[in-house]
Amino acid sequence: PDPDFDWRRIAYLVHVSRALDKLEETKLVPEKKVLYQFSARGHDMAQIILGSRLDQPKDAVCGYYRSRPLLLSLGVPLEDALGSGMGRAGGYSDGRDIGVVFNYPNPNGAPALPMCGGVGAQYTPTAGWAQAIDYYRSVLKDRAYEGAMAVVLGGDASVATNGFWSALTIATTQKLPMLFYIEDNQFGISVPGTYQTPGGNIAGNLESFTNLHILSGDGTEPAEAARLLKMASDHVRSGKGPALLRLTVPRLQGHSAQDTQTYKSEELVESEWARDPLPKLKSYLVGSLLDEGEWDEIEAEAAAAVEKAREIAEARDVADPETVLSNVFYEGEMQTLGGQWTHGYEPPASTEEPKPEGQRINTVTAIRRTLDHELEINPRVLLFGEDIGPKGGVHAVTLGLQDRFGIERVFDTSLSEEGIIGRAVGMAMAGLMPVPEIQFRKYAEPAMEQINDCGTMRWRTNNRFAAPMVLRIPGGFFKCGDPWHSQTNEVQFVHNPGWKVAVPSNAEDAVGLLRAGLRGNDPVIFFEHRAMLDDVWARRPYPGDDYVLPFGRAKKTREGNDITIVTWGAMVPRCEEAAKDISADVIDLRTLMPWDREMVLESVRRTRRCLIVHEDLQTGGFGAEIAAVVADEAFLDLDAPVSRLTMPDIPSPHNPVLLNWAVPSVDRIRVKIDDLISF
């Protein structure tokens, strides 16, 4: 056997994996102590060999629901591997997530990045980690990252997903240190691999893919699997770019414990069991490295370790249900891995009081100046998206920043929103502060899986991992409208737990909220309303390089006693104009997650009337949440019904006449105010 591998440990861990599967299938699943179970039989040996190649602490790996053998090879405690499947306290998530959705910060080596429940969602974050390795080496000159690599595991069905192809594009166009490890068991649950890939061989189909080293072989043969894994990892570590290794393996059990595999013929099942890697591993080792007795001792040792782990895991309690409310956002206890704070970042001194400098500037200039300053003082900040480099963005926000800070820190991406956000997630987990841009609000839809997974990361890993970033998204109407560039729909982000959501209406607030996100420890959606980027009303003096505006703090732009008007974004100046001859509180929320409930309720209890104005659609819009809170907590203080004025439930019309009819106008807001005051 190849002396570069610890074959005794490999044999031990394969036996551990088999014993865990057997325990779950024969005892814990029937007793309903494990509700989701995915056997790794057939996949186990090659995964464990792969894990033995992850021997550098700056490596990282991201797998999927059948990747427990890899976790074992990284050193995850067996009681966590078992107890997490039982949903007990401790382990990967404190019972918050399915036990097969792993994460492992790994204090002694390469971390296992948080896996996701969505097939293919693991690829682009791994590409982001690989790009971070390259950035640490080439820009920050950190020699600890020399030779490091990022590894992603996926099954043959996952190569049909957007995430796979996006990550492949990222890795090959930038020649990143990334290994794609594809376990081909010929089935995606019951669907044959030929439905995912023409001919059923992704390695064969990608042979001519530029900048990608392709390897393929049998993952059940110990010598062949070890040789190929060594070749693949050596290629990536040498700096020659990404590699894809496809290993064929049998899935010896169903897709999950509930899957009876009736879609497989008896002959196929028999042929799969004939390829079981465990007997092959025994034949490979016994007689050359081990004798029969030593093999049996290893098996017995593994069984004893699993039984001990079962006792520990079963003794664990279920977490206190009220604890599930914690760790949606950063609460002062630092996550184990992810974000610049875990790498020693300390934010500069800041102030919550603006210190106006010079002439009034538009919002575009204010955002650009803030990004420029934070890029200058913090080498962990990176900007990227479609057309943000030489062009300076389709809204000119990033104009000149690539010339000033270089293509490594301000760069264009391929046209894949999933890739933009997914790679940002990986970079954030690696300790950088990514600032991705989605060119228009509507274009965020392909990235929603990554947006959701990023937001829930801190919660579902129970503060083990987090991926702080600032996601810039322009949107809303501008001169005209249309269904593709003019959407707002901020409420969708509010409904993604874990994201803070900023909706500034003017240049000063944009500076303070953007800087708060860049120096913070949570993912932030920074919504840039297109109509306000160069709006005269929105211009303000630059509030200073130290100005930070805390989230959840609204602002009264007018004060009065007869009605409370709650709004944000492009509707703020319209509401101000509509209320100019009325004694009204006009409240600019500035952030929607969190939002300033206290200011709104205090105002409503005093004015006894509430009008909510927003550009988004009425049904399910964020105004409905505000109205519900006011009705719930200030009902007896009201002298009129809580009222909303919004867009109708239609996409944004293109023709300016149609658009101006649909979007709340100053005249319509004034009519609504009069109706409520005279109620």
Side-chain angles (χ1 to χ4, degrees):
D2 189 330
D4 287 342
F5 294 86
D6 185 347
W7 290 103
R8 290 176 183 272
R9 184 170 183 270
I10 291 168
Y12 169 74
L13 291 175
V14 173
H15 280 300
V16 167
S17 180
R18 293 294 172 106
L20 289 169
D21 284 339
K22 182 179 179 181
L23 173 64
E24 289 173 337
E25 291 159 356
T26 61
K27 181 176 176 61
L28 300 180
V29 169
E31 292 176 356
K32 294 185 170 36
K33 293 178 179 177
V34 168
L35 302 179
Y36 279 85
Q37 197 273 338
F38 291 77
S39 171
R41 282 193 190 88
H43 291 235
D44 37 21
M45 182 192 72
Q47 270 189 37
I48 289 165
I49 296 173
L50 168 65
S52 71
R53 305 299 295 172
L54 293 166
D55 54 5
Q56 295 196 26
K58 302 305 182 183
D59 291 345
V61 62
C62 194
Y64 68 115
Y65 47 79
R66 213 178 302 282
S67 300
R68 183 165 63 189
L70 176 77
L71 269 288
L72 299 177
S73 70
L74 294 179
V76 66
L78 298 190
E79 56 269 25
D80 286 352
L82 199 54
S84 297
M86 300 168 71
R88 302 298 175 91
Y92 309 133
S93 72
D94 225 35
R96 298 172 179 218
D97 204 350
I98 304 170
V100 297
V101 181
F102 311 105
N103 68 81
Y104 184 45
N106 198 1
N108 302 310
L113 305 181
M115 304 177 190
C116 302
V119 174
Q122 68 270 33
Y123 286 105
T124 53
T126 310
W129 187 284
Q131 188 166 353
I133 291 172
D134 192 54
Y135 185 80
Y136 277 109
R137 287 189 310 208
S138 61
V139 178
L140 300 184
K141 307 300 182 184
D142 190 336
R143 300 191 65 181
Y145 288 82
E146 293 294 337
M149 67 174 177
V151 179
V152 65
L153 280 70
D156 53 282
S158 72
V159 302
T161 64
N162 295 342
F164 172 79
W165 291 100
S166 180
L168 199 64
T169 299
I170 294 168
T172 53
T173 55
Q174 301 193 45
K175 299 183 180 179
L176 297 179
M178 180 171 176
L179 171 58
F180 294 79
Y181 175 82
I182 306 302
E183 301 177 307
D184 191 346
N185 64 28
Q186 293 84 55
F187 281 92
I189 304 184
S190 65
V191 179
T194 51
Y195 282 56
Q196 317 291 350
T197 303
N201 182 351
I202 190 65
N205 288 5
L206 290 174
E207 283 181 356
S208 62
F209 215 86
T210 302
N211 294 337
L212 183 66
H213 184 51
I214 298 286
L215 296 162
S216 184
D218 189 340
T220 71
E221 294 291 344
E224 182 175 351
R227 177 179 59 84
L228 291 171
L229 282 160
K230 186 176 180 180
M231 291 172 61
S233 57
D234 286 350
H235 174 88
V236 175
R237 291 196 191 283
S238 68
K240 297 177 181 177
L244 182 143
L245 171 59
R246 167 191 176 251
L247 291 181
T248 58
V249 293
R251 194 189 71 201
L252 298 179
Q253 303 296 134
H255 168 72
S256 64
Q258 291 76 29
D259 180 14
T260 59
Q261 300 201 100
T262 54
Y263 46 85
K264 290 183 179 180
S265 67
E266 290 185 12
E267 293 77 16
L268 177 58
V269 172
E270 288 178 6
S271 69
E272 288 182 322
W273 276 100
R275 298 182 61 226
D276 183 353
L278 183 58
K280 293 185 179 185
L281 180 62
K282 181 178 180 180
S283 297
Y284 183 64
L285 297 180
V286 172
S288 57
L289 183 67
L290 307 171
D291 59 34
E292 192 81 32
E294 290 174 307
W295 177 268
D296 292 342
E297 286 175 6
I298 290 172
E299 183 176 10
E301 181 185 351
V306 169
E307 176 57 23
K308 181 180 179 182
R310 182 197 64 77
E311 294 175 1
I312 296 172
E314 293 219 49
R316 290 178 174 176
D317 293 326
V318 175
D320 181 344
E322 290 188 2
T323 63
V324 299
L325 299 177
S326 66
N327 294 324
V328 176
F329 295 103
Y330 173 58
E331 299 171 355
E333 182 180 345
M334 192 60 60
Q335 63 270 17
T336 305
L337 194 149
Q340 56 185 347
W341 291 64
T342 62
H343 286 248
Y345 170 77
E346 294 184 7
S350 63
T351 177
E352 297 178 10
E353 294 297 324
K355 298 179 180 178
E357 300 174 5
Q359 299 295 315
R360 287 158 57 96
I361 57 175
N362 65 12
T363 303
V364 164
T365 305
I367 295 171
R368 185 190 306 127
R369 185 167 172 180
T370 306
L371 292 171
D372 183 292
H373 179 73
E374 298 302 309
L375 280 161
E376 183 173 19
I377 67 171
N378 185 358
R380 294 184 181 275
V381 176
L382 298 91
L383 273 61
F384 51 93
E386 296 158 15
D387 301 300
I388 71 132
K391 182 176 176 61
V394 296
H395 304 99
V397 173
T398 57
L399 193 64
L401 293 182
Q402 187 178 86
D403 289 340
R404 181 156 154 71
F405 295 101
I407 197 171
E408 297 85 6
R409 299 192 62 198
V410 181
F411 56 88
D412 289 324
T413 67
S414 51
L415 205 162
S416 168
E417 285 76 21
E418 175 168 349
I420 291 170
I421 306 306
R423 98 164 73 185
V425 171
M427 290 177 173
M429 286 192 287
L432 303 178
M433 172 45 75
V435 188
E437 178 189 291
I438 298 293
Q439 202 165 78
F440 292 94
R441 165 65 188 89
K442 177 65 177 66
Y443 300 165
E445 305 304 328
M448 287 311 298
E449 180 174 48
Q450 291 297 335
I451 290 172
N452 177 75
D453 292 348
C454 176
T456 62
M457 185 182 296
R458 186 188 299 275
W459 181 88
R460 62 188 163 88
T461 67
N462 199 26
N463 209 35
R464 285 175 149 208
F465 285 86
M469 68 176 70
V470 176
L471 169 52
R472 297 178 42 248
I473 307 180
F477 69 87
F478 177 56
K479 295 181 181 178
C480 60
D482 67 75
W484 317 111
H485 303 85
S486 306
Q487 184 185 89
T488 54
N489 195 14
E490 313 100 328
V491 72
Q492 186 169 359
F493 301 122
V494 176
H495 214 69
N496 277 285
W499 283 93
K500 292 184 175 180
V501 180
V503 285
S505 66
N506 60 79
E508 179 184 293
D509 291 349
V511 170
L513 292 170
L514 178 58
R515 183 168 287 122
L518 292 169
R519 297 183 181 183
N521 196 26
D522 285 302
V524 169
I525 302 283
F526 186 79
F527 193 79
E528 301 170 6
H529 199 292
R530 296 165 64 213
M532 309 311 288
L533 289 175
D534 192 34
D535 186 81
V536 173
W537 176 91
R539 295 178 183 181
R540 303 284 193 278
Y542 182 70
D545 288 339
D546 300 322
Y547 178 55
V548 171
L549 176 59
F551 276 60
R553 183 183 296 175
K555 181 179 183 179
K556 289 183 183 178
T557 64
R558 295 183 71 88
E559 295 193 42
N561 300 311
D562 293 341
I563 188 171
T564 298
I565 304 171
V566 185
T567 189
W568 58 89
M571 294 297 105
V572 176
R574 296 189 179 201
C575 289
E576 280 195 2
E577 177 66 20
K580 67 180 181 180
D581 299 320
I582 298 158
S583 180
D585 270 1
V586 177
I587 297 177
D588 179 356
L589 284 184
R590 306 199 286 197
T591 67
L592 300 185
M593 178 54 71
W595 65 283
D596 197 339
R597 299 160 55 111
E598 291 72 24
M599 180 181 287
V600 171
L601 289 170
E602 179 278 327
S603 176
V604 170
R605 286 174 178 138
R606 181 170 43 78
T607 68
R608 310 181 78 84
R609 289 173 174 83
C610 182
L611 171 63
I612 303 155
V613 181
H614 63 70
E615 180 184 337
D616 197 8
L617 314 186
Q618 177 165 303
T619 302
F622 193 70
E625 172 66 18
I626 300 169
V629 169
V630 171
D632 188 43
E633 300 191 28
F635 178 76
L636 296 178
D637 298 293
L638 293 169
D639 286 341
V642 181
S643 187
R644 290 174 290 160
L645 183 61
T646 72
M647 278 261 292
D649 293 343
I650 59 171
S652 182
H654 176 54
N655 186 284
V657 175
L658 302 179
L659 172 73
N660 291 330
W661 180 89
V663 174
S665 65
V666 171
D667 289 342
R668 287 169 59 201
I669 297 169
R670 185 176 294 120
V671 168
K672 202 75 170 176
I673 292 171
D674 291 341
D675 288 345
L676 284 175
I677 290 178
S678 62
F679 181 83

